[in-house]
Amino acid sequence: MLQTLAMQTIDWLGLRLRVPGEWAMVRHSAKVDRGRLAFVDRRRERLLAYWSACPGEPDWDRMFSDHESLERQAHPGARFIRASDWFGWQVLQRRCEDEDLLRAARYDRPRNRVIELVAPVHEGQREVIDGVLADTELAAGADDRAARRFAAFDLRVTPPEGWALRDVSARVGEVAATFDAGRDALTVRRLGMADVWFHGDVHKALTQRLLDPRARFSVDRGTGRRGTTCRSDSLEKGPRIKRFAGRLRRRTDWLWHVPAANAVMHVTLLQGRGEPVELDAFDIDCLDALAGEA
Amino acid sequence: MDKPKAAKPTAAQMLAAVPQRNVRVEVERHGHELALWVPVKQRWYNDNPLTRALLPMKGRRRVILDRLGREVWEACDGRRSLEAIAELFAQKHRLRFHEARLAVGQFLRDMTERGCVVMVVPPVAESDRRPPQAAMAVKGRDVRRGGRALVAGGHA
């Protein structure tokens, strides 16, 4: 069953998960010290991944015995199976009449945090959960390329060194991921269902989104992987006094169409004083939601 | 005596629910858009010709559907479930199923509230592990003005 499902890769704050393509992420957090990701399929919750800051590797036996005591109170007749190296995870499985539950934990040393995965195990799903555990990877370094990589909601962004994920918002038809480095900020938006609202003119689309009479536009009919891209240069919005004092950041927007994904990408870069950064420094990719990764 | 509240349908039941169009809705086509005229039940004070002449109230309400709304409306053929409509929508616009389900679900919720559509929820299946419940039809109300839209059968 595992082989026939198309898979998707989620890269989130140094954690890489490979989950079935039909799972959807319904809760997420971009905080480094504490957060969670929740995955559901069409009918029920499938996986909870959460992390919390921890200065050193915890005492796993004590931690899992606490979990076991709590579980025994809720499910008195349950059986528990404990394993200390299940694909690199510390695992506690609860077996009872209602539903089996698998809890796995691991220490992420570069980021000083404990990562836990909690998954209900339904009939025929054990193979899927074992596959998720086996394929999970943690980035080796605190700020290496793997740690900076972001992949979720059919959007892939790898910012350059010094940049980190700050915020993600996912709504129907629009996903936005924001990264920052000091005063500089980059927001990457994937605007879906382009067949309904985008009419082929990138300049018009960007003008309508910005509504800024001071912006200067240019269209690059490049042959690179982005195709025709409209760029605009302006200043970020702010009070006039800040503009006169030179405190407003330079704003650069790019917009291009991705026909294969039926989406339009809109990237906004806000830069303070300092070396200007170009779009090519960021590795940005937009995936087709229905293609899958096999 | 208060009616016992029906249990909330499960996720599986909602996916299997079939939206039924209100047969009393009249449809007008304007290019890519559709105008749906939904008959509205007259208030008690408008029941006789004299008050109707003094207080002329519209007997119907108009709902305009854009291109996306029209697609979902036309997919509601009385046989397709919410899950099937969401899959069609996802395939056409290259969305993930979850995103399509949210969009279609929200739209059908609005349409139910406006009296254009009724969701027929099937009884819970054995595998659903919830207490059994009878099939129920969720009727819509026009929430904007508190008036009741007329659905199949002539009354709300």
Side-chain angles (χ1 to χ4, degrees), chain A residues 78-112:
Chain A
R79 285 191 305 122
F80 292 88
I81 302 165
R82 174 92 170 85
S84 57
D85 187 11
W86 191 253
F87 299 113
W89 294 84
Q90 301 281 336
V91 162
L92 178 71
Q93 186 172 355
R94 177 198 82 207
R95 288 212 160 140
C96 62
E97 264 181 39
D98 294 343
E99 190 181 65
D100 291 355
L101 188 83
L102 188 119
R103 187 182 290 271
R106 201 159 151 178
Y107 186 63
D108 184 7
R109 206 168 292 280
R111 278 156 289 277
N112 293 327

Side-chain angles (χ1 to χ4, degrees), chain A residues 118-185:
Chain A
V118 180
V121 182
H122 303 283
E123 207 178 297
Q125 289 289 311
R126 183 56 200 255
E127 204 184 57
V128 175
I129 302 299
D130 283 346
V132 171
L133 289 178
D135 291 340
T136 300
E137 291 171 23
L138 298 175
D143 193 32
D144 62 5
R145 191 178 164 83
R148 283 179 266 123
R149 205 163 40 201
F150 170 83
F153 305 113
D154 303 309
L155 184 61
R156 278 194 190 143
V157 182
T158 306
E161 207 173 317
W163 290 74
L165 178 70
R166 276 300 160 254
D167 187 42
V168 179
S169 86
R171 294 180 299 187
V172 175
E174 182 171 340
V175 175
T178 302
F179 303 81
D180 69 9
R183 272 198 85 209
D184 298 347

Side-chain angles (χ1 to χ4, degrees), chain B residues 7 16 32 34-35 37 42 54 59 63 68 79 85 98 104 115-116 122:
Chain B
H32 287 304
L34 279 187
W37 290 96
Q42 295 295 314
L54 291 170
V63 178
L68 288 177
R79 290 186 304 276
I85 296 172
H98 184 74
V104 169
C116 302

